[in-house]
Amino acid sequence: MNMSVGWVFFYLLVFPGFFFTSVVGLLYTWIDRKVTARIQFRVGPPLLQPFYDFFKLLGKDTFVPEGAPRSIFLGAPLVGLASVSVISTVLLVSNMFPQQAFAGDLIVVLYLFVFVPIILIIGASASSNPISALGASREMSLYLAYELPLLFALATIIVKSGGLLKIGDLLQWQWANHPFLYSASGAIAFVSAFLCMQAKLGFVPFDIAEAEQEIMGGTILEYSGPALAVLKLTKAMLYFTASIFLTVFFWGGFRSPRHGWYHILGWLKPVAIIVLIILIKNTNPRLRIDQALRFFWSIVLTLSIVGFILAAVGL
Amino acid sequence: MLKGLKKGALARSLWVYHVSASPCNNCDIEILDLLTPRFDVERFGLLLVGSPRHADVLLVTGVVNKKVLDRVLRVYAQTPKPCLVAAFGSCAISGDLFVDSYNFAGPLDKHIPVDVYIGGCPPKPEAMILGVVRAIEKLNKLKDL
Ligand code: SF4
């Protein structure tokens, strides 16, 4: 592996890291709002709406609630932003240069994915607001609910590929054989990972921690101005990152060894995934936290264990 | 240039927090009309938010009575500036038929600066959209925020 420091910074900050991911992520939130509006027979917001929202929030005051530790309260969103940038960089760079993957990048991605719920929990707990604390406790339970099925889904594809641990190797295995999605065990793993991503993004039916109507935004209740802008940006980037996560691990990534049209079509895969997410989001009511926990620990966990067993017997 | 960007972005993305200051509840129901397919104010970037921390516009409905006044003042203080205040419905503007009530604390603009008045009991959706237009015009005319 031979990358100069300059390139690493370029990858991290411009393409495909922070800048690229945030622009595409904000466009994704536009797709989200637009598709939602069309489902409800509305017109929906203009293309640049997420950018207006972001710049507006940058121009507003930020409150730090009385009794909240300033550095933790305001620092948490920045940590989240940084970790999501790194995840998307690692995923996309290993898609572009599969040989350059470093050992254990899968573990790094998984660890950094954990940061997103953790910064929400830390920020909400630091805000010294009881309703935010309620949101934090729900976020924690939800995290405990979906993490195990997600790990099993990833274990499935690792077993299926014969024990490959690097993202680049997993991609190359898919290019040499077939995307994991097109096998029985891989399809099952994809479904459970997909549901876990829906929960990680905090979308209906799993938006329990943020529930605007009952706990007023829950974990993000006390954030305002630039801090809120950073949190919203983190969520938007996570949106994009979750879709490329599913694409890279289960659907063979964007690039395939066959070039031409197939290459461009590859970029539509994450869009197809988020349209599916939006459809689920718009056709389901919110679950209670105990229902979500039961759903993940009984149905989804069983599903992903079945997928794991199928992979172990070679299906 | 930066000021212009800030103002332009604010005018295109007004997030509304709905302060229910003892209304008869009719105004509150009517606000939801704006989100329906027929009027769809999300076209202009308006959203209803759940927390005053996220709000740019405080939509105050109802007669401000002595008990609720303190809460209205506190919500106003807790809202990050720049923010607009809209007096929604005849109650908030003047007291309407509760004007002689023993606990009426006076019209809303006696207590906090009001930027837009949206009249009616309850206001028609067209009047509300006119109020939105007025708010955006007012923002655009402001020299600094
Ligand atoms: S203005 Fe009319 S509809 Fe609105 S709260 Fe007052 S009495 Fe009710």
Side-chain angles (χ1 to χ4, degrees), chain B residues 23-28 61-63 88-92 96-98 120-123:
Chain B
C24 77
N25 241 312
N26 205 345
C27 277
D28 309 54
T61 61
V63 269
F88 191 91
S90 314
C91 276
D96 206 6
L97 66 162
F98 307 104
C121 179

